[in-house]
Amino acid sequence: VYIRIDVSEAIIEQLKDKKIDIALIESPIFQDALIYREWIEDELVVFSNQQIPRNLKREDLYKFDWICRDENSHTRKLTSEVFDEMDVECSSFNVIGVVASPTAIKETIMRSPTDAERPVVSVISRHVIDHELETGQLFEARLKNYKIRRKFYIVYSKERKHDAFIDHVVNYLLNIKGI
């Protein structure tokens, strides 16, 4: 199995151009030639390698150094929408880095100083950091009175809806436990 990570728009184009067989996307870009299966629900959380308050108020968000996703990221768009609802000015954050993937965010936070006066934080899928939360390497927080939720979708071509390979992979993904 070959895995390619990209923004949903690019992945859908690759699927339509038959460069890939199956896509896992976070923002549905509906096309008539494609089949979409709802897969999992995900929650985005604020996290750090330092203890931070479990429920963050608006004013708490300005006390951190931030690692942000790039502007084309759906994660960033979802987070910005919630921050706008909270009347939070992201332009006032102390952003120390902008990266292109959840892996880069997680690794940057993991390697940040654990004794910094201002904790380094970011927003990430809770699924991505489950293990590190359990082992105490990372700490999560939620925005008080807000949840940032999204759904992921399995997408494939209608032309391949009776393909045994596609059926097998889709059924496997739909039955994964613990995600």
Side-chain angles (χ1 to χ4, degrees), residues 5-9 25-27 42-47 66-83 90 99-103 105 122-126 128 143 147-152:
I5 299 172
D6 208 332
V7 294
S8 296
E9 293 88 354
I25 63 170
E26 64 179 324
S27 56
D42 183 32
E43 181 180 7
L44 298 174
V45 295
V46 177
F47 78 108
W66 284 85
I67 303 294
C68 296
R69 280 293 301 270
D70 60 287
E71 289 186 20
N72 295 328
S73 158
H74 189 64
T75 299
R76 181 154 171 174
K77 290 175 187 166
L78 283 173
T79 304
S80 293
E81 288 171 8
V82 172
F83 285 167
C90 295
V99 297
S101 75
T103 303
I105 285 179
S122 190
V123 175
I124 199 166
S125 163
R126 192 174 191 292
V128 173
L143 304 173
K147 286 197 183 229
I148 308 174
R149 294 193 180 267
R150 62 185 176 176
K151 290 187 179 176
F152 281 90

Side-chain angles (χ1 to χ4, degrees), residues 27-73:
S27 56
I29 301 159
F30 294 109
Q31 307 270 335
D32 288 338
L34 302 176
I35 295 172
Y36 297 79
R37 303 278 305 267
E38 204 171 283
W39 182 34
I40 58 172
E41 186 169 278
D42 183 32
E43 181 180 7
L44 298 174
V45 295
V46 177
F47 78 108
S48 179
N49 66 349
Q50 293 185 50
Q51 292 261 349
I52 55 177
R54 294 200 39 91
N55 290 297
L56 298 172
K57 297 177 284 216
R58 179 182 176 279
E59 57 272 13
D60 294 328
L61 300 174
Y62 298 101
K63 298 175 184 174
F64 305 129
D65 289 338
W66 284 85
I67 303 294
C68 296
R69 280 293 301 270
D70 60 287
E71 289 186 20
N72 295 328
S73 158

